[in-house]
């Protein structure tokens, strides 16, 4: 997906206070970045720059959505999550 619009996943249920790892592959990026966040969690290392595969770890609770927010100058593509 090539976008400068925020993407939100369908809701998913997590085990309270459990650590999850999400891997995202970014291709073709030469400018901008994306930030990964969750509606009910605490992320570490959530900002992604570069064109490659990155993992983000988060402690999540309850029902969540993964939110991918690109900067206005992001010119890459989100290849897989």
């Amino acid at each position: 997906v090539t976008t400068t619009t925020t993407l939100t996943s369908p809701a998913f249920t997590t085990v309270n206070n459990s650590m999850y790892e999400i891997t995202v592959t970014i291709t073709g990026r030469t400018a901008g970045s994306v930030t990964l966040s969750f509606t009910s969690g605490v992320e570490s290392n959530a900002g992604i720059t570069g064109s490659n595969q990155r993992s983000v770890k988060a402690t999540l609770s309850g029902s969540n959505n993964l939110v991918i927010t690109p900067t206005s100058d992001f010119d890459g593509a989100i290849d897989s999550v």
Side-chain angles (χ1 to χ4, degrees):
V1 174
T2 302
T3 186
T4 55
T5 302
T6 298
L7 303 172
T8 304
S9 76
F12 56 94
T13 302
T14 61
V15 176
N16 285 345
N17 298 314
S18 293
M19 177 70 70
Y20 291 83
E21 183 173 12
I22 304 294
T23 301
V24 175
T25 301
I26 304 291
T27 59
R29 191 209 70 81
T30 60
S33 64
V34 296
T35 301
L36 301 181
S37 60
F38 299 90
T39 52
S40 297
V42 177
E43 306 81 25
S44 62
N45 302 317
I48 299 176
T49 59
S51 288
N52 51 29
Q53 193 173 67
R54 299 289 174 104
S55 294
V56 174
K57 294 181 179 178
T59 301
L60 305 177
S61 295
S63 181
N64 270 274
N65 300 83
L66 170 62
V67 181
I68 302 173
T69 306
T71 57
S72 62
D73 60 340
F74 177 71
D75 66 351
I78 301 163
D79 189 50
S80 61
V81 178

